Amino acid sequence: MEDSVITFLEKTLQRIPSSSLKSILSEWGFLSAEQLQDLHFQQSKHILHNKVLAFCEENGVRIRHVIQLDMIYNHEYPNKRNWSVYQFSGQQDDALVLNVTEFSQKFKVNLKDLLRHVSIGMKQFEDDAVWIRVAWGDNFTKPNQFKPTYVVYQLQTPYVFISNLNVKHRPLLSQALVIATKHDEIKEIQLRGRCLKSLKDLVLRRYKQSFQTYQPKPLQERHCPERDQGIVHEHAKRLADLKEVATQTFGDGPLPKLETAVFKLETKFKDPENRILTNRPEPFRCAVKFSSPSFLESLKSLVTLGIASAPVSPLLSSIPQKARNHFVISERGPGVPSTPAP
């Protein structure tokens, strides 16, 4: 077994949590049933990994086998990566009848025509998505297996989810994807995050909450039994009213998980008292970034507790409707920046 394969396998095993190692190795299918039975998963991670490495060397493991293991791990733990959402446009007439085999062949052929040294792994999982792992090299160096690009193409949809793609490889991946999916163009839609499921739910409209951002229903007067007429009653009524406002704005179900929301301001500075900035020909630029493990849930909680004023600005509360979390606010109003294809 080559040193590069050993190093790649060691690093892949180190990333897999001990609680998931047994199930991931079983799904991998490279070790025999007898070898899996010989592994004692209660042992220390170091001892366990050494035994797995010995079994893999005994079975003649190759780089393609480790790639499959890495793909299974990333499918099991997609939230370990940062994802950006891209959308195809200009669908060709026969794009709807595209099958996985045809897509895989076209993608591999086109990408390998563009780049001499590139490693491509593909696997279709049960959620109608094709996972693609691309390790990039160039015409002189072998692919770097430690910094791959991951692509998740949701079949029969115009959306693809991409992680760890640098500017140098964007045109190459873009061309291969457009040709393989039978479209004319691909562009980023300014929706990013770690939770792949939430990103899918947003763009595929699986999130079915009804948002009433711009015209929230007026609060109804509550007729409660007479209790204390003091502070306790007023506080409880205020909390109930705030909760109703939050429900009207965000719905009463779980919200998609987004970690950030970014707003970039590009407008002319307007202040009669500050002529230096007002007379500048170029727009005034600044950026505001909201960050939280679950930004929308946090915003809803702030409204419910009365910390954030209600009704919430449409710039924030309409994020799930627009399926965007990066905006540019210009003289014409909020929008998304135009970006080149990946």
Side-chain angles (χ1 to χ4, degrees):
M1 189 163 58
E2 297 180 6
D3 290 343
S4 59
V5 179
I6 296 174
T7 304
F8 182 24
L9 180 56
E10 285 178 336
K11 289 187 176 295
T12 303
L13 289 172
Q14 287 170 3
R15 292 202 306 273
I16 302 174
S18 300
S19 58
S20 302
L21 185 59
K22 183 177 182 180
S23 60
I24 289 178
L25 289 178
S26 298
E27 185 178 351
W28 186 31
F30 186 72
L31 301 182
S32 67
E34 292 77 14
Q35 289 172 331
L36 283 173
Q37 288 178 353
D38 283 344
L39 294 174
H40 300 288
F41 292 93
Q42 294 76 23
Q43 290 181 321
S44 69
K45 209 169 184 181
H46 177 72
I47 296 174
L48 190 56
H49 286 180
N50 285 339
K51 199 160 188 177
V52 172
L53 287 170
F55 284 151
C56 289
E57 187 170 7
E58 180 182 323
N59 295 352
V61 68
R62 296 289 182 267
I63 197 78
R64 67 178 183 276
H65 301 128
V66 189
I67 288 173
Q68 289 297 310
L69 178 62
D70 185 62
M71 294 186 72
I72 293 170
Y73 161 75
N74 277 278
H75 176 261
E76 189 72 20
Y77 293 95
N79 296 2
K80 297 291 186 181
R81 310 185 69 87
N82 289 306
W83 298 93
S84 297
V85 185
Y86 293 79
Q87 184 176 16
F88 296 110
S89 60
Q91 186 181 66
Q92 299 174 17
D93 294 338
D94 56 344
L96 290 175
V97 297
L98 181 71
N99 59 59
V100 177
T101 303
E102 182 184 5
F103 167 77
S104 301
Q105 290 174 346
K106 283 190 173 183
F107 180 85
K108 290 179 180 178
V109 168
N110 279 283
L111 195 55
K112 289 183 177 179
D113 283 345
L114 296 170
L115 195 62
R116 181 180 176 184
H117 289 137
V118 61
S119 169
I120 305 171
M122 282 196 179
K123 188 173 179 64
Q124 183 181 5
F125 291 93
E126 67 283 352
D127 54 357
D128 293 328
V130 177
W131 281 63
I132 308 169
R133 183 187 187 277
V134 182
W136 303 95
D138 54 35
N139 291 329
F140 306 100
T141 59
K142 292 183 178 181
N144 183 355
Q145 299 293 346
F146 302 105
K147 295 181 179 180
T149 295
Y150 265 89
V151 180
V152 179
Y153 173 48
Q154 200 70 27
L155 295 173
Q156 312 305 328
T157 76
Y159 297 105
V160 64
F161 307 84
I162 302 176
S163 174
N164 193 35
L165 178 64
N166 62 38
V167 176
K168 176 182 176 182
H169 299 130
R170 281 184 180 181
L172 305 179
L173 184 64
S174 174
Q175 181 173 328
L177 284 171
V178 164
I179 293 175
T181 58
K182 300 180 181 179
H183 287 83
D184 297 332
E185 188 181 6
I186 183 174
K187 65 177 181 179
E188 187 177 3
I189 64 170
Q190 301 303 319
L191 177 63
R192 304 166 193 161
R194 284 185 171 270
C195 185
L196 183 60
K197 181 182 181 301
S198 289
L199 298 179
K200 288 184 179 183
D201 289 345
L202 286 168
V203 297
L204 299 177
R205 304 302 176 187
R206 293 173 179 169
Y207 179 70
K208 300 184 182 300
Q209 281 295 340
S210 176
F211 286 83
Q212 302 182 28
T213 302
Y214 298 96
Q215 296 179 342
K217 293 185 296 185
L219 297 177
Q220 301 295 319
E221 185 68 26
R222 293 175 175 269
H223 299 285
C224 302
E226 285 295 325
R227 299 166 65 186
D228 292 337
Q229 296 299 317
I231 298 176
V232 174
H233 175 75
E234 291 299 325
H235 181 66
K237 184 178 184 303
R238 173 172 164 74
L239 289 179
D241 290 345
L242 290 171
K243 184 177 181 180
E244 186 171 344
V245 171
T247 301
Q248 289 176 8
T249 305
F250 295 101
D252 56 2
L255 291 161
K257 187 177 181 181
L258 296 173
E259 294 80 16
T260 60
V262 178
F263 297 87
K264 294 182 179 180
L265 180 67
E266 294 183 2
T267 62
K268 190 169 178 58
F269 193 90
K270 298 175 183 178
D271 183 0
E273 308 252 338
N274 191 332
R275 300 198 174 189
I276 296 177
L277 291 177
T278 302
N279 294 332
R280 292 179 63 181
E282 62 271 11
F284 179 78
R285 293 182 173 89
C286 70
V288 177
K289 180 178 180 180
F290 297 88
S291 182
S292 170
S294 183
F295 166 68
L296 293 174
E297 288 286 0
S298 298
L299 184 59
K300 182 179 179 180
S301 297
L302 290 176
V303 175
T304 303
L305 296 172
I307 299 174
S309 59
V312 179
S313 167
L315 290 173
L316 296 171
S317 59
S318 65
I319 286 175
Q321 287 178 316
K322 295 178 179 178
R324 307 284 189 275
N325 62 345
H326 286 66
F327 298 88
V328 171
I329 302 173
S330 63
E331 296 290 343
R332 294 177 297 176
V336 294
S338 59
T339 56

